[in-house]
Structure formats: structure tokens, C-alpha cells
Amino acid sequence: MNIIFTAAECAPFAKTGGLGDVAAALPKALKKLGHNVKVVIPRYYKIDKNSLEHIPGELIVPMGSLGTLKAGVFKSKIPNSDVEIYFIDYEDFFGRNGLYTDESGYSYQDNDIRFAFLSVATFELCKMLGFNPDIFHANDWHTAAVPVLLKTRYKEFNAKSVLTIHNLQHQGLFDKRVMDILQIPWNHFNPYELEALGGVNLLKGGITFADAITTVSKKYALEIQTPEFGFGLEGHIRAHSYKLYGILNGVDYDEWNPACDKYIAKNYDIGWMEGKKECKKELLEKFGLCGEEKALIGFVGRFAWQKGIELIAQAMEGLLHLDANYVFLGTGEKWAEGFFSDIAGRYPNFRVYVGFSNELAHKIEAGADMFLMPSIFEPCGLNQIYSLRYGTPPIVRATGGLDDTVENYDPFLKKGTGFKFWEASRDALYNTVKWAVDVFYNDKEGFKNIVNEGMRKRFSWERAAKEYLKVYERVLND
Ligand code: ADP
């Protein structure tokens, strides 16, 4: 099968979250299964041109009312694979530090144009390369125009499209000027296809026109059809649920594996766990914390409402009085960066690193005793899966992928892989952390079982890629 995978990010070249991980790992897994897959992303300023191969010539990108623009194209391979990745180079749109926002966290005002450009360029790139995809695989609102274009302006490709929703909160809601830029016929500007609140909702358009829609866990596929998680699109998604599939993300175990992780103090695995103690020691030292026997709870993630940071802030006073140390890593909402930094300055058992550090993320997964992930919603979530592999039982709210991947501890059977709570409240979070800390100190056999059971679990990309292939085959046979 020929597949073109188009996204706003792809690790390690450009990544702000799980989308970047998926855009690298899924194409790699599809390639291993024998398919011809190419990836397209923008050439952001931070991706060094000198590390890429320049494709001679210019890519002509017709942008409707904006005229015809000319872009450069660069090429590379996704590390440890044969998957070709193409970078669309256009200084005015992508020559900036941020992917979506400026330094203050405000979305760029021309994000509609920037990603409409990427969507149109995806088709033009295929023409330039003489590549005839069977499947256009689009991701999130950034490239949600691709399924729309495939059924309107680029019908000649005679291919099928799949749209994956990694996060429904961000939908690409813009002024209707984007219709003329994308040159989508205006008869599609109606509440059943692309229109929302007087503007254009790109994700809604993608949902309407894609031959199949997928989300990144089975639970999230159900949740997005409800008002609590649908962000206003629940009705539209219900109307298209006949083509909706939930496929849990996998994990790149080459990258996230305590037995061979190059970032951690000492490697370890089931049966030879001594290294984990060294990792904890190093983490404590790094953050100036005391107490090698004390429970150490880690957090890695965006400081965003989605990740439950308000709940943590509300429960903070109680958490600080538990017999536990905390290490947080994240960036995002300014209030949270300030709040956590302030707490770190005032309490001896709480530390935070405000910033993005892949190395530190690995060290926390390995060095912590437990991992906190109290998300309000979580389409899939990767960190809790990493923490299972690192023997760092996750404490999670039972939503989306968190619910699908973590089994709540049963103290009678002494089975489970983590600790769960359901209600998005301060008390539920606090009580669950308290329970986990209690098990850590007072139910050592149970805690060991949780660690071992979690470490044995595997969430492979091969399994996920096979499920995606079934979806591709289904739409191709329709
Ligand atoms: P989301 O995609 O919603 O941000 P996921 O759990 O699916 O959440 O994926 C987050 C990915 O980004 C993980 O690989 C995680 O380790 C990484 N990550 C998030 N914040 C940071 C940070 N501050 N430093 C390093 N890695 C981070």
C-alpha cells in the first residue's frame, strides 16, 4: 500500500506532544509490515536545513485567494528506519521558533494559512514525487483539510483518506476566509460539513469528508461522542460514528526501555531491579531532595488544564503533607509554571523543572517510585505507558487511554498495574495519592506485584499498525 502521512509534527525533528511520537512510530511500524509510507511535515526554523537533503526545484502551492506560492522541499529519514520524511520549507510561515504559538503562548494569527498551506502542499508534493497514495493519512486539525481537499479539489488522486484525532480540544476554528484559500466550493459551507459558529471548523470538515476517522484509544472514541469530552463536536461525531475506530497508540520500546535506556543512571529490568535505586538516587541528588526510602512521585507533561494541573494545585497542600517527595517536569500555562516554582521554593519535598527535557523525562520515569497523571481528558497518553515499563506505577484518572491502559490495584487479589480515580476532584486525587503512598510503605508485596505486572505489559506499534491497516483495507474496499 502507498501511504502518505501528513502531520504538523514528527519526532525527533519537531515535537510538542504525543502527535510527534505517533507521526514517527506509526509510519515506521507500517514500513516494517511492508508498506510504502512517506511522511510530510513543515520545515520549522529549528529543524536544521544542513542536516537534510535538499530536493532540487520548487514546489508550486496554489493557495486560492492568496495566489500561488513557491516552497522548498527537503528530505531525510526517520531515525532507525527507511521511512522518508519530507519537509515543506516556506520561511514566511514556518521560519519561527514555535510550532503553533509565540513565546508568550499565543497562537499565531495566521495558523489557518500556515496549515492550509501544509495540507495543499501534501498533494502537490505527491505530484512532484510522482507518488500515488492509496491512503492519505491526516492528523488533527492541522491537516484535517486533506480529506476535504481529496473529495473536492484533488479528486483526481482517486485515493481514500483517514483522519486521526489525537486531541479533540483543538479544532482549527477560523474565519471563513480559509474556504477561498483552500478553494473549497462554498456549497460545503454549511453546519453539516464545515461551518461552525459562523466560521470554518477544519476538524469538523475533516470528520465530514474522511473515509474513516480514528482516535487513539477505544475509551476516547466513546468519550468524544459525549458533551463532556466532545467540545461541541459530539453531535457531529455521533453522526459519523459509523466510520469511527479507536486504536490505542503503541510505545517505541527502542526509546523507552529501562534495560537499555542511555539517559538513566543505571539500567535495570524485571529480575535485576538494583539499577532503579541508582536512578532514584541520581534523581534525588539532581533535584536536591533527601530520603532514599521516601516515596518519590513524578510528573511529566504539558502544564495544561487537560493534564489536571488545576486539580493538582487544589490538592497541593494535602499532597505536600504526605510522606512523599515530588519531582515535576513541564511547561505551559504561565500561572502553573509560577505556582509550581513558588511551591518548590517554599517546601523541602517538592521540586520542579520548568522546561522541555527529554533526558529528564527519562530520568523521572526511571527514578520515581510512582507517576502522577490526573488528566481531565486523555485521548491516549504515553507517559503512563512509559511508567508501566519503568516499574513506576501510574496514579491516574480513569479517562480515555489512561483507563484503557492501567488496571486499578485490587488489594485483596494483590493484582493491578496502578492506582485509579474517577471523579475529577481535588479529594479524589488526594485520596488516591494517599492510598498509593500507603501501599508503597505498608503493602510491600502488593506494590512489588504492581511494579512487575506493569513492567510485563507491552503496547506495541506493530499491533497498532496492524489495526490501522485493517482500517485502510476497509476504506479501500468500500
Ligand atoms: P500529549 O500529547 O497530550 O502532550 P502524551 O502523554 O500523549 O501527552 O505525550 C507527551 C509526550 O511528550 C511524552 O513523550 C512526554 O514524555 C513528552 N513531554 C511532555 N512534556 C515534556 C517536557 N516538559 N519535557 C520532556 N518531555 C515532555
Side-chain angles (χ1 to χ4, degrees):
M1 232 180 264
N2 284 343
I3 301 148
I4 187 105
F5 194 93
T6 174
E9 45 187 275
C10 178
F13 304 99
K15 167 177 158 180
T16 65
L19 169 62
D21 290 320
V22 176
L26 176 56
K28 266 165 68 173
L30 289 166
K31 183 93 183 182
K32 271 198 193 145
L33 292 171
H35 297 278
N36 188 7
V37 48
K38 297 183 195 296
V39 179
V40 193
I41 69 165
R43 208 285 296 180
Y44 298 105
Y45 189 56
K46 282 188 178 155
I47 307 174
D48 182 11
K49 272 186 195 184
N50 297 320
S51 64
L52 311 173
E53 179 191 336
H54 184 238
I55 307 275
E58 281 170 330
L59 185 71
I60 308 293
V61 187
M63 289 286 285
S65 54
L66 288 183
T68 295
L69 308 180
K70 290 176 186 160
V73 180
F74 289 85
K75 182 181 165 184
S76 184
K77 288 210 169 138
I78 294 182
N80 306 318
S81 82
D82 262 343
V83 178
E84 288 173 356
I85 172 164
Y86 290 86
F87 300 87
I88 308 296
D89 187 39
Y90 194 82
E91 184 69 23
D92 278 4
F93 297 157
F94 304 121
R96 311 173 191 183
N97 276 330
L99 269 57
Y100 316 116
T101 60
D102 62 20
E103 281 76 11
S104 316
Y106 292 108
S107 294
Y108 294 126
Q109 289 299 303
D110 57 351
N111 271 348
D112 54 346
I113 300 175
R114 297 171 74 227
F115 292 103
F117 182 76
L118 174 64
S119 301
V120 176
T122 299
F123 291 93
E124 296 301 332
L125 177 73
C126 290
K127 283 195 203 164
M128 183 184 185
L129 299 174
F131 184 60
N132 284 318
D134 299 298
I135 297 288
F136 282 80
H137 193 145
N139 294 277
D140 276 349
W141 72 263
H142 321 102
T143 48
V146 166
V148 186
L149 292 168
L150 185 63
K151 288 266 161 58
T152 54
R153 194 173 145 192
Y154 286 101
K155 265 196 202 120
E156 82 243 28
F157 272 91
N158 197 19
K160 294 289 169 82
S161 65
V162 173
L163 171 68
T164 297
I165 300 172
H166 301 263
N167 189 328
L168 188 64
Q169 189 183 7
H170 308 287
Q171 301 180 357
L173 192 57
F174 296 113
D175 185 274
K176 52 185 183 285
R177 70 175 179 176
V178 73
M179 293 290 291
D180 283 333
I181 294 169
L182 286 166
Q183 287 188 287
I184 299 169
W186 278 92
N187 60 319
H188 298 300
F189 185 73
N190 65 66
Y192 300 100
E193 295 181 82
L194 276 145
E195 189 271 340
L197 305 170
V200 165
N201 183 321
L202 287 175
L203 193 66
K204 182 177 184 177
I207 291 167
T208 312
F209 285 89
D211 295 296
I213 317 156
T214 69
T215 70
V216 288
S217 67
K218 292 208 177 348
K219 180 88 187 269
Y220 194 59
L222 295 174
E223 287 175 343
I224 56 174
Q225 301 180 52
T226 67
E228 191 184 348
F229 298 95
F231 292 100
L233 277 188
E234 59 273 12
H236 194 68
I237 294 173
R238 275 202 304 275
H240 290 87
S241 59
Y242 64 92
K243 58 178 181 185
L244 173 63
Y245 305 87
I247 302 175
L248 193 72
N249 284 339
V251 161
D252 186 347
Y253 288 112
D254 293 339
E255 185 53 31
W256 296 92
N257 179 356
C260 56
D261 189 322
K262 57 183 184 294
Y263 297 115
I264 62 178
K266 196 152 186 218
N267 293 121
Y268 64 92
D269 207 337
I270 307 177
W272 45 295
M273 292 292 283
E274 306 74 37
K276 188 161 172 68
K277 287 203 185 95
E278 292 297 313
C279 295
K280 180 172 181 181
K281 208 169 144 198
E282 188 203 36
L283 191 60
L284 290 170
E285 273 168 18
K286 214 173 171 54
F287 280 91
L289 288 164
C290 312
E292 279 176 42
E293 300 306 317
K294 205 169 176 170
L296 177 59
I297 299 177
F299 175 99
V300 179
R302 291 180 288 119
F303 289 159
W305 167 79
Q306 177 198 334
K307 299 291 172 188
I309 52 166
E310 268 91 348
L311 291 184
I312 297 176
Q314 287 162 14
M316 191 50 98
E317 201 182 332
L319 296 177
L320 289 167
H321 287 95
L322 293 175
D323 189 14
N325 282 317
Y326 300 86
V327 169
F328 277 38
L329 163 65
T331 52
E333 291 178 22
K334 294 291 163 223
W335 75 263
E337 294 183 353
F339 176 83
F340 292 127
S341 302
D342 179 55
I343 297 284
R346 290 193 292 128
Y347 287 83
N349 59 336
F350 185 92
R351 294 289 180 267
V352 64
Y353 177 88
V354 174
F356 196 94
S357 164
N358 187 40
E359 181 174 350
L360 199 50
H362 283 253
K363 286 188 191 297
I364 293 176
E365 290 290 0
D369 295 305
M370 286 168 276
F371 191 88
L372 183 59
M373 201 157 165
S375 304
I376 300 297
F377 73 94
E378 193 59 74
C380 174
L382 292 169
N383 283 305
Q384 86 282 8
I385 307 183
Y386 302 153
S387 62
L388 289 172
R389 183 68 190 92
Y390 280 75
T392 310
I395 304 168
V396 304
R397 186 167 106 78
T399 180
L402 296 175
D403 201 19
D404 282 357
T405 53
V406 179
E407 287 152 39
N408 202 17
Y409 179 53
D410 181 331
F412 299 102
L413 297 175
K414 298 211 182 291
K415 276 177 70 69
T417 58
F419 303 91
K420 280 190 191 181
F421 63 99
W422 276 258
E423 193 184 86
S425 74
R426 177 195 67 179
D427 291 351
L429 179 134
Y430 168 72
N431 287 328
T432 310
V433 176
K434 189 165 171 240
W435 171 42
V437 169
D438 183 57
V439 172
F440 175 81
Y441 288 118
N442 302 318
D443 178 5
K444 295 226 185 293
E445 185 199 339
F447 196 83
K448 201 169 161 197
N449 288 351
I450 300 173
V451 167
N452 285 337
E453 212 171 311
M455 289 183 85
R456 275 196 289 269
K457 291 260 175 243
R458 288 294 180 277
F459 298 87
S460 81
W461 268 112
E462 188 186 333
R463 183 255 331 140
K466 284 181 178 161
E467 288 186 51
Y468 277 101
L469 282 171
K470 272 194 205 143
V471 174
Y472 296 164
E473 277 158 14
R474 190 166 295 179
V475 297
L476 288 171
N477 291 331
D478 262 356

